[in-house]
Amino acid sequence: MTNKKQIIEIILASFSAIILAGFIRVFFFDTYIVTNKSMEPTFFEGDQILLLKKNFIFNRVKNFDVIVFNHENTNLVKRVIGIEGDKVEIKDGALYLNDKLVEHEYYIFSNKDNGLYIVGDNQYFVLGDNIKLSEDSRYFGFIYGKDVKGQVILIFSPKSRFQLFNNIFHHNK
């Protein structure tokens, strides 16, 4: 009798674990495969990344987070530069956030990129880390909160690049 009871307990525990894993996957996480070179050298084409879904209660998009969002029925991965209320300016080859210079080797612009952007309600200004190849908010404007799929938290494939995603930007707003 004990063996039958143990088998039932194992089956119930396994079933519960599968249900819990499915619940976590559906409501908290998603995966994405990077499909272009616009975020190199942070992400390479073919990298598989894990996202913390935007509907997760503690997941608030902040400046310099890397997100996946939908644009014209295509999912893209970019870095959030400006959030609601921010002033983003590109001038003289440099990037400014709220009048403070954002110093990073990725962000060197040409004069054709010059522009001033005031981020509106529930909007984001995004850039790719590979400025020369990236089509981003300089070209298609702001993205809206409803289009954000989630925030990148892990590179899980290829195995040689497996790592928790570490945001390289430490900019004080």
Side-chain angles (χ1 to χ4, degrees):
M1 253 334 189
T2 346
N3 278 344
K4 193 174 185 180
K5 186 176 182 181
Q6 287 175 334
I7 290 171
I8 290 172
E9 285 177 2
I10 290 171
I11 290 171
L12 286 174
S14 298
F15 183 71
S16 297
I18 290 169
I19 296 295
L20 181 60
F23 176 81
I24 289 171
R25 169 70 168 86
V26 167
F27 292 102
F28 297 103
F29 298 103
D30 203 355
T31 59
Y32 176 73
I33 298 175
V34 178
T35 58
N36 60 45
K37 299 177 184 211
S38 72
M39 283 299 291
E40 287 184 0
T42 307
F43 300 107
F44 294 96
E45 193 170 9
D47 280 356
Q48 295 180 28
I49 53 181
L50 182 68
L51 311 176
L52 185 59
K53 284 188 173 182
K54 104 172 168 177
N55 61 355
F56 185 54
I57 194 164
F58 300 110
N59 187 22
R60 201 184 95 232
V61 177
K62 300 176 293 305
N63 298 93
F64 307 107
D65 283 348
V66 176
I67 61 171
V68 172
F69 61 94
N70 185 281
H71 175 70
E72 296 181 353
N73 297 318
T74 302
N75 286 336
L76 300 174
V77 59
K78 305 286 180 193
R79 186 176 303 279
V80 174
I81 302 301
I83 60 173
E84 188 174 308
D86 282 345
K87 173 184 169 186
V88 177
E89 186 172 15
I90 300 170
K91 68 178 179 182
D92 302 324
L95 175 65
Y96 296 86
L97 176 61
N98 298 319
D99 298 317
K100 293 181 184 173
L101 177 64
V102 176
E103 296 184 74
H104 198 277
E105 63 186 309
Y106 299 164
Y107 295 135
I108 300 171
F109 299 88
S110 70
N111 284 336
K112 71 179 174 89
D113 292 320
N114 285 351
L116 174 65
Y117 309 89
I118 306 298
V119 186
D121 291 346
N122 201 31
Q123 293 180 329
Y124 301 100
F125 183 91
V126 296
L127 292 174
D129 286 351
N130 189 344
I131 287 300
K132 291 180 182 173
L133 291 179
S134 181
E135 290 188 8
D136 44 44
S137 287
R138 294 172 295 161
Y139 301 97
F140 54 70
F142 300 110
I143 64 160
Y144 292 88
K146 68 179 176 50
D147 296 322
V148 175
K149 301 292 183 188
Q151 177 185 349
V152 178
I153 59 171
L154 175 78
I155 302 171
F156 66 89
S157 182
K159 287 185 172 112
S160 62
R161 291 186 39 78
F162 183 90
Q163 62 184 330
L164 282 173
F165 179 66
N166 183 15
N167 192 345
I168 57 172
F169 283 87
H170 303 286
H171 180 82
N172 295 326
K173 203 173 163 185

